[in-house]
Each structure stands twice: as structure tokens, then as C-alpha cells.
Amino acid sequence: MNYRESYDSWLNNQYFDEKTREELLSIKEDEKEIEDRFYKDLEFGTAGLRGKIGAGTNRMNIYIISRATQGLADFIVEKGQKYMDMGVAIAYDSRHFSKEFAKRAALVLAGNNVKAYLFESLRPTPVLSFTVGHLKTASGIVVTASHNPKEYNGYKVYWEDAAQIGQEYADAITEKILSIKNFEDIKIMDEQEALDKGLLNILGSEIDDIYVSKVKELALRDDIDKDIKVVYTPLNGTGNKLVRRVLKERGFSNITVVPEQENPDPNFTTAPFPNPEDPRAFEYAERLGQEIGADLLLATDPDCDRLAIMVRDEDGKYIAFNGNQTGAILVKYIVEGRKETGRLPENSFIVKSIVTGDLGRAIAEKHGVKTYDALTGFKNICGVANALEKSGNNKFIFGYEESIGYVTGDFVKDKDGVISSMMLCEAAAYYKKQGKTLIDVLEEIYKEFGYYREKQISLVLEGIEGSRRIGRMMEVYRNEYPMKVGDLKLVKYVDYKTGKGTDVITGEASDVEIPSSNVLEFTLEDGSWYSVRPSGTEPKIKLYLYSKAETAQEAEQKIASMEEVVLTKLKSVE
């Protein structure tokens, strides 16, 4: 049916509650809004669901959550009683309707005789990954929209390996979801009945205690300056309790939390765009840091799987580190710390995404640690790590991506803002005892390995037309890419969608051992490179620029040249 017919079916079907129908009536004169809400179903993929909250098939609401969970339940039931009994762990963040969506998911699972484990209150996303592994559940669900604005919510699915589902399972679950033609066919059990039958189980602090003890076991050094002064903001999300608890139990005594952003707030009143990757999210933390003279500012995103930092320089100003820089610091600290303490196994390896820079690789290789590449997203990073550990005597020690996601250890198969906060504070405290800031350490890294620079640019193009234009941009760039950037010639072109890499000089093609994805990568003759890809979760086309030079100024000039050439080409596509 077309979008109008879909709208009318929702408006006139008594299955939908009165509030939903009232919301739909309020837009009856707004054809564009009706089209945007009903021109498609909110797509389920490897990132699960993510979209604006509201009534409609292209929105996040209780009905779309129910249908997605029914599809997951059908997939689990098909695998047999063992998987039904293993059950599904469910967590949620601080957003509007997160608790309601999580409970509905649990009751749909129960309605299908699949056991559900629901957290009593909000939890960081990495705790969900840990819980799947710890309880040995078949699957996991976390209701979150990560760092998106307040209008959004989302739904991510994990499998029994505690990592987010890959493409194969996402496709299989999508097939089940699409087979549900009527919302009335979704099975939902009454909450009390589910509790009485043992199909709904409530999780509490007992999981936190085990998780925190595992996090603290990752500590590498104790001969550090634990009086380092830190300001932390959870950005009104889920990180407050566990980040503070871990740091306190590790002995850090000078942790000050931004009071306006300490407690959950689904409106993100003081941070309308709660993305710590954007330095503007540090406004309140920076102000408090100046007041108390903090050495370090930490911010986790609302579901506490990502971490960003700012570091006080010698003039008292706070300098924002991007994900590549923080990742390089953590690679150095973890690899060298493990080596020093005898905890660096043979065949150790790290995994990074294909759009993450190569500075971490250079640091790791100095110490004999291999780096592997994965597609964007921690489902892929942890997927590669799991596969490598199963295939031989390999030991995963660190995974990261430029979008401020990091993890170490083997008990969380996702990026983890709690673990990262502890490791970063430990690193900063270790170097402070040597009289260095993280700025000093980064400069030392550059002097040893070269000046690496990077820039990420997102072009936001919302709605139907925006989505179509992003598609046109990718297709045009795929076939009409620039052969030079300034004086630098293009030497290699990789299309991860076709799985082919091409030597531009010789014309020789080769296979790329990375699963198919709509990503283009271009390498210039001096080793500088850039990638173009559409976001999988947001209405954006993303551009990643990387350079390396003998001086910081030269590296920055190369970035500026790439930015001008690539943006000019992209923006020319109407």
C-alpha cells in the first residue's frame, strides 16, 4: 500500500490506542509529514532500529518495537527450546519511552514463551553486552539512540556471542519482521502472568557488582597520581553511577560531576546535541573545569558506550582530543603497560575500523602487536576479534574507532565508556606522575611516528529527498572521483561495496578481504587518504580525511586540500 493508505489504516484501526490516533489526526493537513511517517517501514538492520519518536511506520513507537521483537522472537523460537530457555537480556537508556519500549519487548518475548531478563532501571549499553555473556542468553536488546537528539530512540540487538548482530542474522530477523502482516498477530503477555511463569525476570545490582569487579581487573598500574583532578559529565545519560563507582573504587579521589548533567534527563536540557564527539557538548564541563582547575574533562554519551576527553594545556585552556588521538593514547598506554607488567600475550592484536587512522597501528607494530581492520561499527570490530581468537592462538587486547569508541578486555563485546573512562584516567594519572599531560604524550607520539592529522565531516540531508541525494552522491563519486588532490596523485581506489581495490597507476585490481559495505576509500601518493560513506543510522553522508607529514602545518594543509576537492565534488551532485 502507498503512504496514504498506510496512514489511513493506522488512523482507522481500533488496535492503535487513542493517543496514537489523535497524533495522526493532528497532521491530517500536512501531506509532507504524513508521507515522511508512512512512505516506508523503519528499517531493521545490523544497527537494529533508530528513528524519530512518533506514530507511523517510519517512526519509533510501541507498535514498531512490538513488531521488531515479534520478529526476533520468531527467529529464536525457530532455533528451538534451548534458545527460548536461554532467553534475552534487555537494557535501556534515559530517553523518552525507553523504559516503556524495553518492557514491551520483554512482554512480547514472554508472549512467545521466550524468557526475558529486564533491568530494573537504566543501564549503560556495554552492561547489556556483558550481561548477555555473563548470563549466557541467546540474545540481547538495548533501547537507545546513543548520542542522537531527544527526538530519537532506537533498538539494538545482540546475539549469544555478546556482540551486536551481523548482517546474516539481521537479514534473517528482518525476514521474520516482514512476514508479520497484521499488528494483531503479535503475541503479548500480561506483566504479572509473565512474572508468575518465570518468563519475565528483573535484573538489579547483582549484575553491576560482577561487571565492576571485571572492569577493575583491567587496571594496569597503581603507581599513578590518583589525585589527578577530573571533571566528568554523563550528559544526562546512563554513565553517572557506574563510571563514578569504578573511578572511586580505583582510588581516584578528585572526580567532580557536572551537576546540571548528572541525572537522567530525556530532554537533554543543557546539551541538546548530546554527542561528546562535538566539543560543544563540553560547555558545562569546561566551565566547571576552569573553576576548579581540572586536569582532565571526561564525557560519555547518553548510553555510555563512547568517551570523549579534553585536556588542560599549559595556558589553562582545554584542548579537545578526537577519537583517533584518544585511541592512539590508549593503544600506547595499554600495549606498553601490558608489556611492562608481563600481560602482553604472544600474538596480541588490536582491531580498528576502516575509517579510523593509522597512528595506532604504527604504535602497536613497534611492540609487535598486529592491527586488523574491520567495517565501521563495533559489531564488526568485535566480530573480527571473535573470529581471530577462535581461529588460532590470537589474543585481542584493544578495539577502537575514530568515533570515540574503545574497548579492552574480553567480557564486553562492544565499545564501553565505563572501561574507557577508567583506562583513560589511569593513563592520565600515570603520565602526570611523570610530569606530563596527555597533550605532551601526544606530541611525543607525533615526534616519533610523524604528524598525523584527521578530520571528519558530515553532510546532513534529512527526509526522502535527502536520502535520495545521498544515494546519488555515492553513485556519482563511485564513478567520477578526482584523480588529484592539489599536487598529489591518486594511487589507489577501494570500493568496499564490490570488494575490489584498484591500483590507479597500473590498473591492476585485487580483492579486499572485508565484507561488502557502501564505503569508498582513496589513497594518495604520499600515503594520505580519505573515505566517503553514508551513515547507517543517521541522515548523513560522512567524509573521513587523513594525512601524515613531517610537520603539523604540512599535515593540516593536506587535510584542507582534500576537504576542498572532495566537498566541491560531493556538493555538485543535486
Side-chain angles (χ1 to χ4, degrees):
M1 65 179 72
N2 63 35
Y3 74 86
R4 248 298 166 183
E5 292 169 332
S6 185
Y7 168 75
D8 289 338
S9 72
W10 275 54
L11 189 61
N12 299 317
N13 189 339
Q14 293 301 310
Y15 178 82
F16 299 105
D17 63 72
E18 190 61 33
K19 190 172 181 182
T20 294
R21 294 201 301 276
E22 286 175 2
E23 183 180 336
L24 294 175
L25 274 173
S26 72
I27 62 168
K28 66 180 180 178
E29 304 299 333
D30 190 341
E31 197 68 20
K32 188 174 181 180
E33 179 68 12
I34 292 171
E35 182 180 17
D36 189 55
R37 288 184 184 225
F38 288 95
Y39 83 97
K40 67 173 184 177
D41 287 350
L42 197 62
E43 294 174 6
F44 184 93
T46 56
L49 300 166
R50 188 177 296 181
K52 290 182 178 179
I53 299 166
T57 60
N58 190 32
R59 292 289 186 270
M60 284 291 296
N61 53 66
I62 204 81
Y63 304 106
I64 298 303
I65 291 291
S66 299
R67 186 173 64 180
T69 309
Q70 182 64 54
L72 174 62
D74 289 341
F75 181 68
I76 291 171
V77 169
E78 195 173 77
K79 288 192 168 290
Q81 193 63 48
K82 175 186 173 183
Y83 279 79
M84 294 165 69
D85 292 341
M86 288 167 68
V88 180
I90 306 171
Y92 58 92
D93 70 6
S94 60
R95 290 176 178 274
H96 288 294
F97 300 106
S98 285
K99 184 175 183 178
E100 291 85 348
F101 291 168
K103 181 175 284 188
R104 173 58 68 94
L107 297 180
V108 170
L109 290 166
N112 288 271
N113 291 310
V114 176
K115 190 175 289 187
Y117 296 90
L118 176 65
F119 273 99
E120 63 185 354
S121 58
L122 53 80
R123 289 297 190 282
T125 287
V127 173
L128 184 278
S129 172
F130 168 73
T131 304
V132 171
H134 176 67
L135 295 181
K136 295 181 170 54
T137 62
S139 181
I141 297 168
V142 61
V143 179
T144 178
S146 188
H147 55 277
N148 287 80
K150 65 179 181 180
E151 294 84 7
Y152 287 79
N153 213 327
Y155 174 104
K156 292 197 291 188
V157 177
Y158 295 69
W159 198 239
E160 60 182 321
D161 61 358
Q164 292 178 50
I165 55 170
Q167 194 64 53
E168 181 184 353
Y169 284 167
D171 289 345
I173 295 168
T174 296
E175 187 177 329
K176 297 295 186 186
I177 294 169
L178 294 176
S179 71
I180 302 165
K181 302 304 180 185
N182 300 303
F183 285 97
E184 291 88 343
D185 294 336
I186 296 168
K187 301 167 187 174
I188 304 172
M189 185 176 285
D190 173 77
E191 182 176 352
Q192 191 57 54
E193 182 184 356
L195 287 166
D196 292 343
K197 289 184 174 181
L199 289 167
L200 175 58
N201 304 270
I202 305 303
L203 301 177
S205 61
E206 70 281 359
I207 297 291
D208 301 337
D209 294 342
I210 302 166
Y211 169 77
V212 167
S213 69
K214 298 283 285 183
V215 173
K216 291 190 297 181
E217 287 173 6
L218 295 170
L220 293 173
R221 296 180 173 108
D222 219 41
D223 184 22
I224 59 179
D225 186 349
K226 291 184 178 179
D227 288 329
I228 188 170
K229 198 172 286 188
V230 179
V231 165
Y232 167 59
T233 173
L235 292 176
N236 301 116
T238 62
N240 182 42
K241 290 183 179 179
L242 287 182
V243 170
R244 292 172 75 176
R245 176 179 170 183
V246 166
L247 293 179
K248 182 179 179 181
E249 292 185 16
R250 278 287 289 121
F252 291 98
S253 55
N254 267 327
I255 310 296
T256 305
V257 178
V258 176
E260 298 91 343
Q261 298 171 338
E262 177 178 359
N263 297 314
D265 174 10
N267 290 316
F268 304 111
T269 308
T270 60
F273 298 95
N275 182 359
E277 199 171 6
D278 185 339
R280 290 176 296 180
F282 279 87
E283 178 187 352
Y284 282 72
E286 204 169 347
R287 188 185 308 155
L288 181 57
Q290 293 287 2
E291 289 176 12
I292 68 172
D295 302 294
L296 179 67
L297 311 181
L298 301 180
T300 52
D301 64 342
D303 68 326
C304 196
D305 60 355
R306 304 198 309 156
L307 168 75
I309 67 170
M310 295 184 82
V311 183
R312 188 181 180 92
D313 69 9
E314 58 185 12
D315 298 321
K317 295 179 181 178
Y318 288 101
I319 306 300
F321 278 39
N322 62 41
N324 286 288
Q325 294 168 329
T326 304
I329 292 285
L330 287 170
V331 169
K332 176 181 173 65
Y333 182 73
I334 290 169
V335 171
E336 292 182 355
R338 278 178 170 266
K339 197 170 187 178
E340 178 187 304
T341 56
R343 295 170 62 181
L344 186 66
E346 289 187 19
N347 301 319
S348 294
F349 68 92
I350 66 176
V351 184
K352 71 172 189 67
S353 74
I354 57 174
V355 295
T356 297
D358 292 316
L359 182 54
R361 186 196 305 273
I363 297 167
E365 285 180 352
K366 174 187 175 183
H367 298 284
V369 175
K370 192 165 183 180
T371 300
Y372 292 90
D373 291 309
L375 289 178
T376 307
F378 260 75
K379 60 183 175 291
N380 297 306
I381 289 171
C382 291
V384 167
N386 286 343
L388 285 167
E389 288 198 322
K390 287 176 183 175
S391 67
N393 186 29
N394 302 302
K395 182 61 180 174
F396 172 73
I397 59 167
F398 187 61
Y400 74 112
E401 58 184 0
E402 48 69 44
S403 56
I404 61 172
Y406 325 95
V407 74
T408 187
D410 60 4
F411 57 91
V412 172
K413 304 296 184 179
D414 204 349
K415 52 189 178 289
D416 190 326
V418 182
I419 290 174
S420 303
S421 294
M422 185 192 79
M423 297 307 298
L424 203 286
C425 282
E426 187 180 307
Y430 170 74
Y431 294 120
K432 186 180 180 185
K433 191 157 188 178
Q434 299 177 4
K436 303 174 186 176
T437 69
L438 294 182
I439 296 171
D440 299 325
V441 176
L442 189 60
E443 183 63 23
E444 289 177 359
I445 291 172
Y446 288 146
K447 285 179 178 177
E448 181 175 0
F449 296 99
Y451 284 84
Y452 287 70
R453 288 295 183 266
E454 52 274 320
K455 187 171 185 179
Q456 194 232 98
I457 301 167
S458 294
L459 299 179
V460 179
L461 299 165
E462 294 187 313
I464 305 169
E465 285 307 314
S467 177
R468 290 171 180 165
R469 189 179 176 200
I470 288 171
R472 291 193 296 272
M473 285 178 168
M474 289 300 297
E475 284 312 303
V476 168
Y477 214 98
R478 180 168 270 113
N479 297 299
E480 302 174 14
Y481 44 85
M483 298 299 293
K484 286 184 71 176
V485 173
D487 295 328
L488 297 173
K489 294 177 183 177
L490 181 70
V491 295
K492 188 177 181 182
Y493 160 50
V494 177
D495 186 342
Y496 287 98
K497 190 173 183 179
T498 62
K500 295 291 183 182
T502 303
D503 184 316
V504 176
I505 306 301
T506 66
E508 184 179 347
S510 58
D511 292 330
V512 178
E513 294 182 6
I514 296 280
S516 177
S517 184
N518 193 12
V519 182
L520 304 173
E521 181 181 289
F522 304 87
T523 302
L524 304 176
E525 58 186 325
D526 71 332
S528 299
W529 60 278
Y530 67 92
S531 284
V532 183
R533 76 173 183 94
S535 171
T537 57
E538 299 170 286
K540 296 176 178 179
I541 187 166
K542 291 187 171 184
L543 173 62
Y544 305 82
L545 310 172
Y546 290 97
S547 69
K548 179 188 173 185
E550 292 184 4
T551 68
Q553 184 179 9
E554 185 184 354
E556 286 160 5
Q557 286 172 345
K558 290 180 181 180
I559 291 288
S561 295
M562 278 192 283
E563 179 178 354
E564 182 181 1
V565 170
V566 181
L567 281 183
T568 298
K569 182 64 178 178
L570 285 174
K571 290 180 178 179
S572 71
V573 180
E574 293 299 331

